[in-house]
Amino acid sequence: MNASNAKTKYGVVKETVFGTTPATPALVSQKHSSANFTLTKEELLDDSKSGNRGYSFAQHGNTAVTGTLTGNFTHTNFDTLLETVMFGEWTSNVLKRGETRKSVTIEEAQSDINVFRQFTGVVGNGFTLEAPVDGLITISFDFMGLKETVAGTSLDATYTDSANIQPFTHCGGTITEGGTPIAYVSSVSVSVANNITQDYYWGVCDTGDLVP
């Protein structure tokens, strides 16, 4: 059975312990234009020769969770995701680079077919903010995570709705450099990359750690 994309939604909740969903998670619906989260599995082949030109065994090895999410940039609706990229917290509407890892649990809810994909230990590997003069300002995230669990029920049956806020445009905006406004700007593109790597430990195929 195929799910309807129009009925697929994403919920986000902060983790206080890396890789562990809170005991009573209160998920907030995440606005987005597109999103895709994937679990990939390494394929391990036994190349022992048996005279029949085939492989004796094939099995799965290490797994990896990756994801992307894009949206029209609005005030507050991407604050939690930005914290996971910047390793910091918002203070008085300012987010600076920090040193403490911020992780979230993200649920992909396909409620029309009762399939709920839950990704734990998700951190932002980077983002790109695009501010053209002929469209909405957009943001694109790259994510990495520890583990995927597929369930028949949601972590939170009643998501908190994200704020209904108009997306940003360039109209009326000002770009400053060192506190001085720049007179003419035709477009703005800002990118951050954490270059996170996945670590694995003997005996467990799930990702063991995410190291920036």
Side-chain angles (χ1 to χ4, degrees):
M1 183 181 295
N2 294 324
S4 169
N5 286 336
K7 294 183 178 180
T8 299
K9 62 181 181 180
Y10 290 84
V12 178
V13 62
K14 292 183 179 181
E15 297 176 348
T16 55
V17 177
F18 179 51
T20 302
T21 305
T24 54
L27 275 69
V28 177
S29 180
Q30 179 60 58
K31 285 194 171 184
H32 63 284
S33 299
S34 64
N36 182 46
F37 284 80
T38 303
L39 177 73
T40 57
K41 299 180 179 180
E42 180 184 23
E43 185 179 24
L44 304 177
L45 300 176
D46 178 6
D47 61 357
S48 301
K49 303 299 187 292
S50 58
N52 62 5
R53 298 187 300 113
Y55 292 107
S56 299
F57 296 99
Q59 61 192 73
H60 289 144
N62 293 335
T63 65
V65 170
T66 57
T68 60
L69 184 142
T70 65
N72 298 318
F73 193 51
T74 56
H75 178 60
T76 73
N77 279 333
F78 297 92
D79 284 3
T80 297
L81 301 184
L82 285 168
E83 286 184 345
T84 72
V85 177
M86 300 301 293
F87 286 49
E89 293 183 350
W90 288 93
T91 302
S92 300
N93 287 326
V94 175
L95 176 63
K96 295 183 178 181
R97 183 189 65 202
E99 301 294 333
T100 303
R101 177 168 53 193
K102 308 292 183 181
S103 63
V104 295
T105 293
I106 293 180
E107 179 177 79
E108 179 189 87
Q110 298 172 311
S111 56
D112 53 333
I113 59 172
N114 292 323
V115 173
F116 301 87
R117 301 172 66 210
Q118 296 150 3
F119 303 93
T120 53
V122 177
V123 297
N125 196 27
F127 72 82
T128 298
L129 184 73
E130 300 282 358
V133 295
D134 58 353
L136 298 176
I137 296 175
T138 61
I139 191 166
S140 302
F141 291 91
D142 290 316
F143 296 104
M144 301 179 79
L146 291 183
K147 185 178 180 180
E148 177 196 40
T149 300
V150 180
T153 57
S154 175
L155 291 170
D156 180 3
T158 56
Y159 285 15
T160 299
D161 290 336
S162 54
N164 190 24
I165 300 173
Q166 182 174 313
F168 289 118
T169 70
H170 77 95
C171 298
T174 302
I175 302 294
T176 62
E177 182 177 9
T180 303
I182 302 173
Y184 300 104
V185 178
S186 59
S187 66
V188 176
S189 180
V190 178
S191 295
V192 173
N194 286 327
N195 299 316
I196 292 173
T197 59
Q198 295 153 323
D199 275 4
Y200 295 92
Y201 304 123
W202 205 93
V204 180
C205 290
D206 293 329
T207 302
D209 201 1
L210 300 172
V211 183

